[in-house]
Amino acid sequence: MRGPLTASAIALALIVIYVVRIALFPLKDCWCCKGQGVHRSESNPKHSRRCWWCKNTGKRWRIGRRIWNRMRQKHRAAD
Ligand SMILES: [Zn+2]
């Protein structure tokens, strides 16, 4: 009868791992430009345009970290 307990323990462990990961590595490469910050044309390498998705930084906040930031902002506003 260890099934449900083990499942919840695994779920908890995954949540802890995820929280640690977003705490240590809050940024990830932009999926849109693959971390380049610009989109390059295959046929003409000189032709590039800014990535609007990451605003030229090539990095994106992880979803979990964005929620975290928002919660912190709310917390600060309440003070
Ligand atoms: Zn991008």
Side-chain angles (χ1 to χ4, degrees):
M1 294 301 258
R2 293 181 43 203
L5 186 67
T6 310
S8 58
I10 291 170
L12 192 69
L14 288 176
I15 290 167
V16 169
I17 290 166
Y18 185 69
V19 168
V20 169
R21 275 184 59 181
I22 62 174
L24 293 178
F25 312 105
L27 296 171
K28 63 176 178 176
D29 284 353
C30 174
W31 58 269
C32 194
C33 59
K34 299 184 176 56
Q36 303 284 310
V38 291
H39 291 285
R40 287 200 173 82
S41 166
E42 296 272 317
S43 51
N44 185 356
K46 283 183 186 169
H47 234 245
S48 63
R49 61 184 174 82
R50 292 177 50 152
C51 176
W52 60 270
W53 193 251
C54 60
K55 297 184 176 63
N56 242 17
T57 60
K59 299 287 177 194
R60 294 279 302 159
W61 289 98
R62 288 178 188 277
I63 294 282
R65 184 58 182 241
R66 288 163 70 93
I67 295 167
W68 178 345
N69 287 349
R70 191 167 300 173
M71 282 182 353
R72 281 186 58 180
Q73 264 175 13
K74 235 180 234 174
H75 205 72
R76 222 175 290 152
D79 279 344

